[in-house]
Protein backbone atom coordinates (compact mmCIF):
# COMPACT_ATOMS: atom_id res chain seq x y z
CA UNK A 1 0.00 0.00 0.00
CA UNK A 2 1.39 3.43 -0.81
CA UNK A 3 0.52 7.08 -0.92
CA UNK A 4 -0.34 9.12 -3.96
CA UNK A 5 0.42 12.62 -2.63
CA UNK A 6 -2.03 15.45 -3.05
CA UNK A 7 -2.80 18.69 -1.34
CA UNK A 8 -5.47 21.35 -1.27
CA UNK A 9 -6.49 24.28 0.89
CA UNK A 10 -10.22 23.57 1.07
CA UNK A 11 -11.89 20.59 2.79
CA UNK A 12 -15.59 19.79 2.52
CA UNK A 13 -16.09 17.09 5.15
CA UNK A 14 -19.84 17.37 4.92
CA UNK A 15 -19.79 15.95 1.39
CA UNK A 16 -16.70 13.78 1.71
CA UNK A 17 -18.01 11.35 4.34
CA UNK A 18 -21.00 9.02 4.62
CA UNK A 19 -22.56 7.22 7.54
CA UNK A 20 -21.54 3.60 7.94
CA UNK A 21 -23.80 1.24 5.99
CA UNK A 22 -26.05 -0.64 8.42
CA UNK A 23 -26.55 -3.47 5.89
CA UNK A 24 -22.93 -4.72 5.96
CA UNK A 25 -22.86 -8.47 6.42
CA UNK A 26 -21.05 -9.95 9.44
CA UNK A 27 -19.39 -12.42 7.07
CA UNK A 28 -17.53 -9.70 5.18
CA UNK A 29 -13.72 -9.67 5.30
CA UNK A 30 -11.86 -6.68 6.65
CA UNK A 31 -8.31 -5.38 7.07
CA UNK A 32 -7.27 -2.75 9.60
CA UNK A 33 -4.31 -0.41 9.22
CA UNK A 34 -3.04 2.86 10.58
CA UNK A 35 -2.05 6.00 8.70
CA UNK A 36 0.34 8.42 10.38
CA UNK A 37 1.26 11.97 9.41
CA UNK A 38 5.03 12.42 10.01
CA UNK A 39 4.85 16.19 9.56
CA UNK A 40 3.92 18.89 12.05
CA UNK A 41 1.42 20.40 9.62
CA UNK A 42 -2.22 19.62 8.90
CA UNK A 43 -2.91 17.69 5.67
CA UNK A 44 -6.10 17.49 3.60
CA UNK A 45 -7.29 15.22 0.81
CA UNK A 46 -4.39 12.78 0.49
CA UNK A 47 -5.03 9.76 -1.70
CA UNK A 48 -4.12 6.20 -0.74
CA UNK A 49 -3.85 3.31 -3.16
CA UNK A 50 -4.01 -0.43 -2.46
CA UNK A 51 -2.77 -2.38 -5.48
CA UNK A 52 -4.51 -5.39 -7.00
CA UNK A 53 -1.67 -7.58 -5.76
CA UNK A 54 -2.03 -6.33 -2.19
CA UNK A 55 -5.80 -6.74 -2.31
CA UNK A 56 -5.38 -10.29 -3.58
CA UNK A 57 -3.16 -11.08 -0.58
CA UNK A 58 -5.78 -9.85 1.89
CA UNK A 59 -9.11 -10.63 0.20
CA UNK A 60 -10.83 -13.11 -2.06
CA UNK A 61 -11.14 -11.12 -5.30
CA UNK A 62 -14.17 -13.02 -6.57
CA UNK A 63 -16.34 -11.53 -9.30
CA UNK A 64 -18.78 -9.06 -7.80
CA UNK A 65 -16.80 -8.32 -4.63
CA UNK A 66 -17.18 -4.75 -3.39
CA UNK A 67 -14.90 -2.73 -1.13
CA UNK A 68 -15.77 -0.06 1.41
CA UNK A 69 -13.41 2.08 3.49
CA UNK A 70 -14.12 3.40 7.00
CA UNK A 71 -12.47 5.95 9.25
CA UNK A 72 -14.00 5.00 12.58
CA UNK A 73 -17.76 4.89 12.00
CA UNK A 74 -17.60 7.18 8.98
CA UNK A 75 -17.34 5.83 5.44
CA UNK A 76 -14.72 7.36 3.14
CA UNK A 77 -15.69 7.44 -0.56
CA UNK A 78 -13.55 5.02 -2.55
CA UNK A 79 -13.45 3.29 -5.91
CA UNK A 80 -12.00 0.15 -7.45
CA UNK A 81 -9.90 0.79 -10.57
CA UNK A 82 -9.51 -1.93 -13.19
CA UNK A 83 -7.40 0.18 -15.57
CA UNK A 84 -4.76 2.90 -15.49
CA UNK A 85 -1.67 3.51 -13.37
CA UNK A 86 -3.47 2.90 -10.08
CA UNK A 87 -5.22 -0.45 -10.52
CA UNK A 88 -6.83 -1.48 -7.26
CA UNK A 89 -8.60 0.42 -4.51
CA UNK A 90 -8.18 4.18 -4.16
CA UNK A 91 -9.61 6.50 -1.51
CA UNK A 92 -8.92 9.97 -0.17
CA UNK A 93 -8.17 10.74 3.49
CA UNK A 94 -10.17 13.95 4.01
CA UNK A 95 -8.14 15.33 6.91
CA UNK A 96 -5.24 14.36 9.17
CA UNK A 97 -3.74 16.61 11.84
CA UNK A 98 -0.06 17.21 12.45
CA UNK A 99 1.65 14.02 13.71
CA UNK A 100 -1.77 12.32 13.97
CA UNK A 101 -2.38 8.59 13.50
CA UNK A 102 -5.69 7.40 12.03
CA UNK A 103 -7.18 3.92 12.13
CA UNK A 104 -8.63 2.75 8.79
CA UNK A 105 -10.72 -0.33 7.97
CA UNK A 106 -11.15 -1.76 4.48
CA UNK A 107 -14.08 -4.16 4.20
CA UNK A 108 -14.85 -6.49 1.30
CA UNK A 109 -18.01 -8.49 0.66
CA UNK A 110 -20.23 -9.87 -2.06
CA UNK A 111 -23.19 -8.53 -0.10
CA UNK A 112 -22.39 -4.81 -0.09
CA UNK A 113 -24.86 -2.51 -1.79
CA UNK A 114 -23.58 -0.10 -4.42
CA UNK A 115 -22.52 3.19 -2.81
CA UNK A 116 -23.73 6.54 -4.09
CA UNK A 117 -20.78 8.86 -3.52
CA UNK A 118 -20.70 12.49 -4.64
CA UNK A 119 -18.97 12.76 -8.02
CA UNK A 120 -15.93 14.93 -7.38
CA UNK A 121 -13.79 13.93 -10.39
CA UNK A 122 -14.48 13.36 -14.06
CA UNK A 123 -12.67 12.37 -17.25
CA UNK A 124 -14.25 12.38 -20.69
CA UNK A 125 -13.58 12.20 -24.39
CA UNK A 126 -16.21 13.30 -26.88
CA UNK A 127 -16.23 13.46 -30.66
CA UNK A 128 -18.73 13.89 -33.46
CA UNK A 129 -20.80 11.22 -35.18
CA UNK A 130 -23.03 11.50 -38.23
CA UNK A 131 -20.96 13.97 -40.24
CA UNK A 132 -17.91 13.71 -42.48
CA UNK A 133 -14.41 15.07 -42.96
CA UNK A 134 -13.88 17.47 -45.86
CA UNK A 135 -10.48 19.10 -46.32
CA UNK A 136 -9.57 17.98 -42.76
CA UNK A 137 -12.60 19.75 -41.28
CA UNK A 138 -15.48 17.72 -39.83
CA UNK A 139 -18.82 18.93 -41.18
CA UNK A 140 -22.15 18.19 -39.54
CA UNK A 141 -22.75 15.57 -36.91
CA UNK A 142 -23.26 15.63 -33.17
CA UNK A 143 -21.06 15.00 -30.14
CA UNK A 144 -21.12 11.73 -28.22
CA UNK A 145 -18.91 10.64 -25.33
CA UNK A 146 -16.71 7.59 -25.99
CA UNK A 147 -14.43 5.43 -23.89
CA UNK A 148 -11.60 5.50 -26.42
CA UNK A 149 -10.56 6.91 -29.78
CA UNK A 150 -8.07 5.98 -32.49
CA UNK A 151 -7.59 9.48 -33.90
CA UNK A 152 -8.47 9.59 -37.63
CA UNK A 153 -5.65 10.50 -39.97
CA UNK A 154 -7.78 13.39 -41.29
CA UNK A 155 -7.96 15.03 -37.87
CA UNK A 156 -5.81 18.07 -37.09
CA UNK A 157 -6.09 21.25 -35.06
CA UNK A 158 -9.44 23.06 -35.43
CA UNK A 159 -11.09 20.17 -37.26
CA UNK A 160 -14.13 20.59 -34.95
CA UNK A 161 -14.23 16.79 -34.62
CA UNK A 162 -13.31 16.41 -30.91
CA UNK A 163 -15.19 18.47 -28.33
CA UNK A 164 -12.83 21.05 -26.82
CA UNK A 165 -10.16 19.43 -29.02
CA UNK A 166 -9.12 16.54 -26.77
CA UNK A 167 -9.67 14.58 -23.55
CA UNK A 168 -10.63 16.50 -20.42
CA UNK A 169 -10.30 15.66 -16.73
CA UNK A 170 -11.21 17.54 -13.57
CA UNK A 171 -11.46 17.48 -9.80
CA UNK A 172 -13.85 19.55 -7.72
CA UNK A 173 -11.28 22.38 -7.87
CA UNK A 174 -9.97 22.64 -11.44
CA UNK A 175 -10.22 21.15 -14.92
CA UNK A 176 -7.66 20.36 -17.61
CA UNK A 177 -7.52 19.22 -21.24
CA UNK A 178 -4.90 18.52 -23.86
CA UNK A 179 -5.03 18.87 -27.62
CA UNK A 180 -5.27 15.42 -29.20
CA UNK A 181 -3.43 16.39 -32.37
CA UNK A 182 0.06 17.48 -33.45
CA UNK A 183 0.09 20.23 -30.78
CA UNK A 184 -0.36 18.01 -27.69
CA UNK A 185 -0.35 20.98 -25.31
CA UNK A 186 -2.01 20.93 -21.88
CA UNK A 187 -4.52 23.69 -21.08
CA UNK A 188 -6.51 24.78 -18.00
CA UNK A 189 -10.23 25.19 -17.31
CA UNK A 190 -10.65 27.49 -14.31
CA UNK A 191 -13.74 26.59 -12.27
CA UNK A 192 -16.10 28.87 -10.34
CA UNK A 193 -18.03 25.88 -8.97
CA UNK A 194 -17.09 22.61 -7.25
CA UNK A 195 -19.42 20.42 -9.29
CA UNK A 196 -18.45 18.64 -12.56
CA UNK A 197 -18.48 21.00 -15.56
CA UNK A 198 -16.76 19.27 -18.48
CA UNK A 199 -19.95 17.61 -19.72
CA UNK A 200 -21.26 21.05 -20.74
CA UNK A 201 -18.05 22.55 -22.17
CA UNK A 202 -17.93 23.03 -25.94
CA UNK A 203 -21.33 21.51 -26.61
CA UNK A 204 -22.13 24.37 -29.00
CA UNK A 205 -19.46 23.01 -31.32
CA UNK A 206 -17.29 26.09 -30.99
CA UNK A 207 -14.73 27.48 -28.54
CA UNK A 208 -17.05 29.66 -26.47
CA UNK A 209 -15.30 28.31 -23.38
CA UNK A 210 -12.71 31.04 -23.92
CA UNK A 211 -15.35 33.50 -22.70
CA UNK A 212 -16.39 33.82 -19.01
CA UNK A 213 -19.43 31.78 -17.99
CA UNK A 214 -21.15 30.70 -14.79
CA UNK A 215 -19.00 27.55 -14.48
CA UNK A 216 -15.70 29.25 -15.35
CA UNK A 217 -13.62 29.34 -18.54
CA UNK A 218 -10.44 28.33 -20.35
CA UNK A 219 -7.90 30.49 -18.53
CA UNK A 220 -4.56 29.74 -20.22
CA UNK A 221 -3.27 30.73 -23.65
CA UNK A 222 -1.11 27.78 -24.75
CA UNK A 223 -0.29 28.58 -28.39
CA UNK A 224 3.09 27.10 -29.35
CA UNK A 225 4.36 26.99 -25.76
CA UNK A 226 4.59 24.13 -23.28
CA UNK A 227 1.39 25.40 -21.67
CA UNK A 228 1.21 23.54 -18.38
CA UNK A 229 3.36 20.43 -18.07
CA UNK A 230 3.12 19.33 -21.71
CA UNK A 231 5.21 16.34 -22.85
CA UNK A 232 8.31 17.45 -24.75
CA UNK A 233 11.97 17.00 -25.56
CA UNK A 234 14.70 19.63 -25.56
CA UNK A 235 16.29 19.81 -29.01
CA UNK A 236 18.53 22.47 -30.56
CA UNK A 237 17.99 24.70 -27.52
CA UNK A 238 14.19 24.60 -27.94
CA UNK A 239 11.31 22.66 -26.44
CA UNK A 240 9.57 20.32 -28.86
CA UNK A 241 6.16 18.91 -27.96
CA UNK A 242 4.98 15.49 -29.17
CA UNK A 243 4.25 16.46 -32.76
CA UNK A 244 5.09 14.10 -35.63
CA UNK A 245 3.73 10.63 -34.82
CA UNK A 246 2.45 7.62 -36.74
CA UNK A 247 -0.80 7.50 -34.78
CA UNK A 248 -2.60 8.64 -31.63
CA UNK A 249 -4.86 6.64 -29.33
CA UNK A 250 -6.62 7.93 -26.21
CA UNK A 251 -8.73 6.14 -23.63
CA UNK A 252 -10.68 7.18 -20.55
CA UNK A 253 -9.37 4.57 -18.11
CA UNK A 254 -11.22 5.82 -15.02
CA UNK A 255 -14.15 8.18 -14.53
CA UNK A 256 -15.12 7.85 -10.91
CA UNK A 257 -16.28 9.80 -7.87
CA UNK A 258 -12.80 10.22 -6.32
CA UNK A 259 -10.35 9.40 -9.14
CA UNK A 260 -10.27 9.85 -12.92
CA UNK A 261 -7.57 9.17 -15.50
CA UNK A 262 -6.70 9.35 -19.20
CA UNK A 263 -4.33 7.05 -21.10
CA UNK A 264 -2.70 8.10 -24.38
CA UNK A 265 -0.43 6.19 -26.73
CA UNK A 266 1.72 8.30 -29.03
CA UNK A 267 2.95 5.73 -31.55
CA UNK A 268 6.08 6.41 -33.60
CA UNK A 269 7.11 9.81 -32.26
CA UNK A 270 9.76 10.76 -34.80
CA UNK A 271 12.86 11.95 -32.92
CA UNK A 272 16.42 12.56 -34.20
CA UNK A 273 17.53 9.31 -32.53
CA UNK A 274 14.72 7.32 -34.12
CA UNK A 275 11.07 6.60 -33.46
CA UNK A 276 9.67 5.80 -30.05
CA UNK A 277 6.25 5.17 -28.55
CA UNK A 278 5.20 7.29 -25.57
CA UNK A 279 2.66 5.93 -23.10
CA UNK A 280 1.03 8.64 -21.01
CA UNK A 281 -1.18 8.21 -17.95
CA UNK A 282 -2.69 11.40 -16.49
CA UNK A 283 -4.67 11.11 -13.26
CA UNK A 284 -6.41 13.35 -10.74
CA UNK A 285 -8.23 12.74 -7.47
CA UNK A 286 -10.83 14.64 -5.46
CA UNK A 287 -9.88 17.64 -3.38
CA UNK A 288 -6.66 18.47 -5.23
CA UNK A 289 -5.44 20.72 -8.02
CA UNK A 290 -2.63 18.31 -8.87
CA UNK A 291 -2.63 16.11 -11.94
CA UNK A 292 -0.03 13.34 -12.03
CA UNK A 293 1.71 12.54 -15.31
CA UNK A 294 3.25 9.06 -15.64
CA UNK A 295 5.28 8.62 -18.82
CA UNK A 296 7.00 5.61 -20.33
CA UNK A 297 8.98 5.47 -23.55
CA UNK A 298 9.75 2.33 -25.54
CA UNK A 299 13.20 3.77 -26.31
CA UNK A 300 15.51 5.90 -24.19
CA UNK A 301 15.06 9.66 -24.50
CA UNK A 302 18.02 11.53 -23.00
CA UNK A 303 16.32 14.92 -23.03
CA UNK A 304 12.75 14.23 -21.91
CA UNK A 305 11.33 17.61 -20.93
CA UNK A 306 8.34 19.55 -19.75
CA UNK A 307 7.70 23.08 -18.54
CA UNK A 308 5.48 26.15 -18.50
CA UNK A 309 4.38 28.93 -20.81
CA UNK A 310 6.54 32.03 -20.52
CA UNK A 311 4.47 35.16 -19.80
CA UNK A 312 6.00 38.58 -19.13
CA UNK A 313 3.14 39.38 -16.73
CA UNK A 314 3.98 36.45 -14.44
CA UNK A 315 6.83 36.12 -11.97
CA UNK A 316 8.88 32.92 -11.95
CA UNK A 317 8.96 30.99 -8.65
CA UNK A 318 11.38 28.16 -7.89
CA UNK A 319 11.96 26.01 -4.83
CA UNK A 320 15.37 25.06 -3.50
CA UNK A 321 16.62 21.52 -4.08
CA UNK A 322 16.64 20.31 -0.46
CA UNK A 323 13.59 18.04 -0.78
CA UNK A 324 12.85 14.96 -2.88
CA UNK A 325 10.45 17.07 -4.97
CA UNK A 326 10.90 20.60 -6.28
CA UNK A 327 8.78 23.03 -8.27
CA UNK A 328 8.94 25.46 -11.15
CA UNK A 329 6.04 27.91 -11.10
CA UNK A 330 4.80 31.25 -12.33
CA UNK A 331 2.23 33.59 -10.83
CA UNK A 332 0.60 36.81 -11.96
CA UNK A 333 -2.16 38.30 -14.17
CA UNK A 334 -1.52 35.74 -16.91
CA UNK A 335 -5.05 34.34 -17.33
CA UNK A 336 -7.04 35.04 -20.48
CA UNK A 337 -9.02 37.65 -18.54
CA UNK A 338 -5.78 39.07 -17.12
CA UNK A 339 -6.44 38.20 -13.50
CA UNK A 340 -4.16 36.14 -11.25
CA UNK A 341 -3.30 32.60 -12.25
CA UNK A 342 -0.64 30.38 -10.76
CA UNK A 343 0.73 27.39 -12.68
CA UNK A 344 3.39 24.91 -11.60
CA UNK A 345 5.22 21.69 -12.34
CA UNK A 346 6.32 19.58 -9.37
CA UNK A 347 9.10 17.15 -10.26
CA UNK A 348 11.53 14.64 -8.72
CA UNK A 349 14.59 16.67 -7.78
CA UNK A 350 17.11 13.90 -8.45
CA UNK A 351 16.06 13.44 -12.09
CA UNK A 352 16.47 17.07 -13.17
CA UNK A 353 19.46 17.63 -15.46
CA UNK A 354 18.75 21.14 -16.74
CA UNK A 355 16.59 24.14 -15.83
CA UNK A 356 16.50 26.33 -18.92
CA UNK A 357 14.22 28.27 -21.28
CA UNK A 358 13.61 29.16 -24.86
CA UNK A 359 11.72 32.06 -26.43
CA UNK A 360 8.31 30.66 -25.50
CA UNK A 361 8.65 28.43 -22.44
CA UNK A 362 10.37 27.74 -19.13
CA UNK A 363 11.85 24.26 -19.56
CA UNK A 364 12.81 21.37 -17.28
CA UNK A 365 14.99 18.60 -18.76
CA UNK A 366 15.27 15.19 -17.06
CA UNK A 367 17.41 12.10 -16.94
CA UNK A 368 15.06 9.47 -18.30
CA UNK A 369 17.52 6.63 -18.86
CA UNK A 370 15.00 4.39 -17.10
CA UNK A 371 12.58 5.22 -19.96
CA UNK A 372 10.14 6.49 -17.32
CA UNK A 373 9.30 9.90 -15.92
CA UNK A 374 6.60 11.03 -13.48
CA UNK A 375 5.74 14.55 -12.40
CA UNK A 376 2.80 16.69 -11.27
CA UNK A 377 1.29 19.86 -12.67
CA UNK A 378 -1.34 22.22 -11.31
CA UNK A 379 -3.14 25.52 -11.77
CA UNK A 380 -4.73 27.88 -9.24
CA UNK A 381 -7.05 30.62 -10.53
CA UNK A 382 -8.11 33.46 -8.26
CA UNK A 383 -11.79 33.12 -9.26
CA UNK A 384 -12.06 29.62 -7.75
CA UNK A 385 -14.41 29.47 -4.74
CA UNK A 386 -12.20 30.46 -1.80
CA UNK A 387 -9.28 30.37 -4.21
CA UNK A 388 -5.67 31.49 -3.94
CA UNK A 389 -5.54 35.22 -4.67
CA UNK A 390 -1.95 36.31 -4.04
CA UNK A 391 1.58 35.26 -4.92
CA UNK A 392 2.38 34.82 -1.22
CA UNK A 393 -0.50 32.35 -0.81
CA UNK A 394 0.53 30.46 -3.94
CA UNK A 395 4.15 30.14 -2.84
CA UNK A 396 3.08 28.89 0.60
CA UNK A 397 0.77 26.40 -1.08
CA UNK A 398 3.62 25.09 -3.25
CA UNK A 399 6.16 25.00 -0.41
CA UNK A 400 3.79 22.93 1.72
CA UNK A 401 2.91 20.81 -1.29
CA UNK A 402 6.44 19.61 -2.05
CA UNK A 403 7.02 19.06 1.68
CA UNK A 404 4.01 16.73 1.79
CA UNK A 405 4.91 14.89 -1.41
CA UNK A 406 8.48 14.45 -0.14
CA UNK A 407 7.20 13.12 3.20
CA UNK A 408 4.36 10.69 2.45
CA UNK A 409 2.02 9.35 5.09
CA UNK A 410 3.32 6.33 6.99
CA UNK A 411 1.13 3.25 6.68
CA UNK A 412 1.14 0.19 8.92
CA UNK A 413 -1.03 -2.87 8.26
CA UNK A 414 -2.21 -4.67 11.41
Amino acid sequence: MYLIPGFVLIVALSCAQHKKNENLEDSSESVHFSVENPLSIHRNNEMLHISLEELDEKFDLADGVSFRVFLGEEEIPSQFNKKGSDKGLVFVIPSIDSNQKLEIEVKASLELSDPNYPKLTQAELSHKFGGEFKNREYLGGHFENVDSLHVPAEHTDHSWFIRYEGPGWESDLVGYRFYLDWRNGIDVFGKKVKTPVLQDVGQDGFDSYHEPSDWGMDVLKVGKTLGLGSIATFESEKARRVDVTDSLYAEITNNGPVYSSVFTRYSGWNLPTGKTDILSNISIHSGTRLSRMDLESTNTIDNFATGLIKDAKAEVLKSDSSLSYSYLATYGPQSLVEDNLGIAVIYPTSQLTQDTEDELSHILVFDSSSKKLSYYFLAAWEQEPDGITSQEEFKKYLDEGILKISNPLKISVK
Side-chain angles (χ1 to χ4, degrees):
M1 189 180 306
Y2 63 92
L3 171 73
I4 302 298
F7 65 99
V8 70
L9 298 179
I10 311 301
V11 184
L13 292 178
S14 61
C15 69
Q17 296 179 335
H18 291 257
K19 288 297 182 182
K20 192 169 183 178
N21 190 326
E22 301 298 335
N23 296 322
L24 293 178
E25 297 293 328
D26 293 337
S27 61
S28 62
E29 302 175 89
S30 66
V31 172
H32 295 262
F33 63 93
S34 63
V35 177
E36 183 178 0
N37 179 9
L39 297 175
S40 297
I41 60 173
H42 186 86
R43 304 168 78 148
N44 298 327
N45 298 323
E46 304 251 2
M47 192 186 96
L48 298 181
H49 169 238
I50 306 176
S51 70
L52 284 174
E53 293 77 16
E54 291 167 318
L55 288 172
D56 193 39
E57 289 178 4
K58 302 294 182 181
F59 301 103
D60 178 11
L61 297 184
D63 289 342
V65 67
S66 296
F67 295 94
R68 306 288 272 276
V69 180
F70 298 93
L71 174 58
E73 293 297 307
E74 299 294 326
E75 183 173 353
I76 300 174
S78 61
Q79 71 184 69
F80 184 76
N81 294 337
K82 296 182 179 180
K83 295 181 178 181
S85 297
D86 299 314
K87 297 183 183 70
L89 186 67
V90 296
F91 54 96
V92 176
I93 301 293
S95 177
I96 184 168
D97 288 333
S98 62
N99 304 117
Q100 185 183 17
K101 181 182 288 187
L102 300 176
E103 303 301 320
I104 303 293
E105 179 183 12
V106 177
K107 187 165 287 193
S109 175
L110 293 171
E111 308 297 330
L112 296 178
S113 59
D114 291 334
N116 184 24
Y117 302 132
K119 187 162 179 59
L120 300 180
T121 74
Q122 180 171 217
E124 67 168 15
L125 176 59
S126 178
H127 69 82
K128 283 185 176 180
F129 290 81
E132 62 178 352
F133 277 102
K134 185 175 182 179
N135 298 324
R136 307 198 77 176
E137 183 177 355
Y138 197 85
L139 304 178
H142 62 281
F143 289 117
E144 293 183 18
N145 279 28
V146 295
D147 293 329
S148 63
L149 174 65
H150 291 275
V151 179
E154 301 94 331
H155 177 65
T156 187
D157 60 293
H158 300 92
S159 285
W160 315 118
F161 173 63
I162 302 175
R163 184 157 59 86
Y164 55 78
E165 299 191 276
W169 63 100
E170 66 180 314
S171 70
D172 43 325
L173 301 180
V174 65
Y176 302 98
R177 63 166 172 156
F178 71 85
Y179 305 117
L180 193 57
D181 53 55
W182 64 270
R183 296 168 298 170
N184 284 298
I186 296 176
D187 203 348
V188 181
F189 288 127
K191 292 176 60 172
K192 298 179 182 179
V193 297
K194 292 191 175 183
T195 53
V197 302
L198 290 177
Q199 70 279 357
D200 299 320
V201 176
Q203 289 285 7
D204 57 4
F206 299 96
D207 54 359
S208 58
Y209 43 81
H210 289 113
E211 300 297 326
S213 65
D214 291 342
W215 63 264
M217 63 178 293
D218 180 322
V219 293
L220 188 66
K221 175 65 175 178
V222 174
K224 297 180 179 180
T225 76
L226 288 179
L228 172 57
S230 303
I231 308 167
T233 59
F234 188 57
E235 300 175 9
S236 304
E237 303 303 311
K238 291 183 179 181
R240 176 188 171 190
R241 299 180 302 199
V242 186
D243 46 14
V244 181
T245 60
D246 293 334
S247 63
L248 296 174
Y249 170 79
E251 180 179 351
I252 303 303
T253 44
N254 291 284
N255 178 21
V258 299
Y259 177 99
S260 291
S261 59
V262 181
F263 168 79
T264 310
R265 178 189 291 273
Y266 303 89
S267 297
W269 186 15
N270 197 0
L271 299 174
T273 54
K275 290 186 177 183
T276 188
D277 296 347
I278 301 294
L279 308 181
S280 161
N281 283 280
I282 302 175
S283 58
I284 197 167
H285 68 77
S286 60
T288 185
R289 295 181 177 89
L290 275 73
S291 286
R292 189 178 90 230
M293 174 76 82
D294 296 314
L295 297 174
E296 184 172 355
S297 175
T298 55
N299 295 312
T300 301
I301 300 177
D302 295 331
N303 54 351
F304 232 155
T306 189
L308 303 172
I309 180 176
K310 184 187 290 186
D311 192 317
K313 299 187 293 295
E315 184 172 343
V316 178
L317 307 173
K318 297 181 181 182
S319 59
D320 59 34
S321 57
S322 61
L323 296 172
S324 299
Y325 284 83
S326 303
Y327 64 76
L328 167 67
T330 63
Y331 189 86
Q334 60 181 327
S335 81
L336 284 176
V337 287
E338 299 185 347
D339 61 359
N340 287 321
L341 173 67
I343 55 176
V345 172
I346 295 177
Y347 59 90
T349 307
S350 62
Q351 283 189 257
L352 185 71
T353 60
Q354 193 174 0
D355 180 351
T356 185
E357 62 183 43
D358 62 15
E359 181 183 359
L360 300 174
S361 303
H362 305 286
I363 305 167
L364 300 169
V365 185
F366 298 95
D367 174 8
S368 55
S369 55
S370 66
K371 303 179 185 178
K372 294 182 179 181
L373 175 65
S374 294
Y375 56 88
Y376 302 84
F377 55 88
L378 66 101
W381 185 37
E382 72 169 320
Q383 291 194 48
E384 297 170 8
D386 304 311
I388 294 172
T389 59
S390 71
Q391 181 173 305
E392 292 74 22
E393 285 183 83
F394 188 56
K395 187 177 186 306
K396 179 182 178 182
Y397 173 82
L398 293 174
D399 288 338
E400 289 189 355
I402 59 172
L403 180 63
K404 294 172 184 176
I405 295 175
S406 299
N407 294 275
L409 301 179
K410 296 180 178 179
I411 303 169
S412 301
V413 179
K414 296 184 177 181

